[in-house]
Amino acid sequence: VAVSAAHANENTSQQELRLRVEALGASGRLSIAGVRITAVDLIADLYRQTRFEPVWTDPEKVDELLQAIAAMHLDGLDPQDYYLDRLTKMRAEVATRPDPALEADLDILMTDALARLAYQAYYGKVDPERIDHNSINLDQTWTGPKGAAAVRDFLASESLFRRIEGLKPQRPKYDAFRRALARYRGYQDAGGWTRIRKGKVLTLGSSDRRVPAIRHRLAMTEDLPKPLDNGDPVYDADLQKAVHRFQARHQLPTGDLASKTIAAMNVPVSKRIDQIRVNLERARWMMRDVPPTYVAVNIAAFSIYFVKDDKRVWENEAQVGKTFTQTPLFVDEIDYIVLNPTWTVPPSVLEQTVLPSAKKDPGYMQRRHLRVFDDRGKQVPAKSIDWKRYKASNFPYTIRQDPGPDNALGVVKFIFPNRYHVYLHDTPNQLGYDRRVRTMSWGCIHVQNPLELATAVIDDPSWNRQAIESQVESGKTKTIHLDTPVRVALLYWTVELRDDGALRFYPDVYQRDGRVLRELNRAFKARKTRRRGNR
């Protein structure tokens, strides 16, 4: 009787909301205006707590929600993922033709839109761990109110629009990506660029009918100041300078204008826009709560840099994982540094290199200064082992390489314990830095001039460069624990805005961009769980 009386006191809007929540509770599903609701549990809890009263009663908050949805276009996301057209149409219909059923549908759909919007602004649309096992171990735990309490908190905020915008990475790099996206969309709106025909290599002073088209192409992306359209076919010094700038921005050798540069010029503007959108998504994954001091590796650019107090103070080349032993993306903290390290052979290298080599060559272990230890730490003569009996899965020993010039880790390694067994370290393969494409390691990052990085990271006067070099020259292993661990981020920017303001595009060496783009363009699928890192 009490339940019936409560229902009798409901207005028609409450009744419609209650019916939808009850249907949701019975089936676990609810479709409104042709779309399936995502935030099922949140919506059921919210409207039960309000006793089925609508929550979108302030027209200004509705305006701000629609404004925030439309603004997601600036972040490379699709406003229709948050029902922009449906909400706009339904709101107009409610204004002209009051209907309790339509009002209930609109209230629920706006709540689901807010949930999606907040989620994707904070986490990104794509779950990186679902599309790539080599990606992400970030702790992205939401620290604010959750569920129904979060909706009420957002609606009570002074500005709903600013609250949603505040969920996005508040970093200059993220804003730079957004500006780059707007710029390339502007190129697209202006008609993009026409394809340049293949032809002979152009050198300074060459004459070619393609030169005016090349000038136009480079002027569009501001590599060349706007030229006079006089049809001059001469490849002059100003154009050569612009070509060199373009080559530097696209990770191409600086030199004559040949086929690879023409191919880069012919990449459609739509593909460059997609590339920027993909990297905006990665920024939403990776740039949450970035500290002012950190070490970053850009895998796609084969580069490593150290940022101190928000200023890039050191940068150098890096070697990264091969295409079949890719360097993963994750964030952690450097706890300590080892000078003159030993190297314990990891399972992947044991299986693919050491065991096959030891089976074929009896002298392999001695030449590589590799020693074998049993589970009690006792050394076992390598010659006493029947190598043909073992695979990596049943190998009962540990193999370790002593410090020295041939050590796989070189003279220094930077340790941040992680499930991938990936670290920063030196390498004896110094010739590898002469290559443009440096996918060369088993997954770790090889650092050029690592003692410079060690000096910067340790940040202890007693461990200046001279002291570090003296310790290395002694040949003795030394572990230096950092008083304050330093954040390290392994990133994959195929687009990057450099400190000189130039937007650079890098090759997608691991073919990761396509997977992210496909998921960006598909229907949204929420993450089921949030992992809490690897430590």
Side-chain angles (χ1 to χ4, degrees), residues 293 306 308-309 337 452-465 468 480-484 486:
T293 298
F306 180 54
K308 186 172 184 179
D309 297 330
I337 294 170
E452 294 179 1
L453 179 60
T455 305
V457 168
I458 294 173
D459 196 23
D460 179 347
S462 64
W463 281 109
N464 56 27
R465 179 64 182 272
I468 290 173
I480 303 172
H481 292 274
L482 304 184
D483 292 336
T484 302
V486 174

Side-chain angles (χ1 to χ4, degrees), residues 63 66 181 224 362 475 478 534:
D63 289 340
L66 296 177
L181 179 61
L224 177 70
K478 176 68 177 179
N534 63 357

Side-chain angles (χ1 to χ4, degrees), residues 314-330:
W314 178 87
E315 183 172 9
N316 226 308
E317 309 294 342
Q319 301 170 19
V320 301
K322 303 171 186 176
T323 54
F324 58 90
T325 55
Q326 297 183 11
T327 299
L329 278 67
F330 67 97

Side-chain angles (χ1 to χ4, degrees), residues 66 83-93 106:
L66 296 177
Y83 326 126
L84 180 61
D85 287 350
R86 287 182 175 88
L87 291 175
T88 302
K89 181 181 178 181
M90 291 170 69
R91 189 188 191 195
E93 290 176 356
L106 177 58

Side-chain angles (χ1 to χ4, degrees), residues 297 299 318-322 325-328 330 343 346 348-349 408-409 413-416 418 420-426 438-447 490 510:
V297 177
I299 298 166
Q319 301 170 19
V320 301
K322 303 171 186 176
T325 55
Q326 297 183 11
T327 299
F330 67 97
W343 177 52
S348 58
V349 180
L409 304 182
K413 66 178 179 179
F414 304 77
I415 300 298
F416 36 102
N418 62 86
Y420 304 104
H421 304 291
V422 165
Y423 310 105
L424 309 178
H425 62 79
D426 185 21
R438 295 188 289 275
T439 48
M440 308 172 68
S441 79
W442 290 93
C444 287
I445 299 93
H446 300 168
V447 182
L490 310 189
Y510 289 161

Side-chain angles (χ1 to χ4, degrees), residues 132 134 282 326-327 329 508 510-516:
D132 186 354
N134 281 315
R282 289 193 179 111
Q326 297 183 11
T327 299
L329 278 67
D508 182 12
Y510 289 161
Q511 300 299 302
R512 289 177 172 174
D513 280 8
R515 283 172 282 178
V516 180

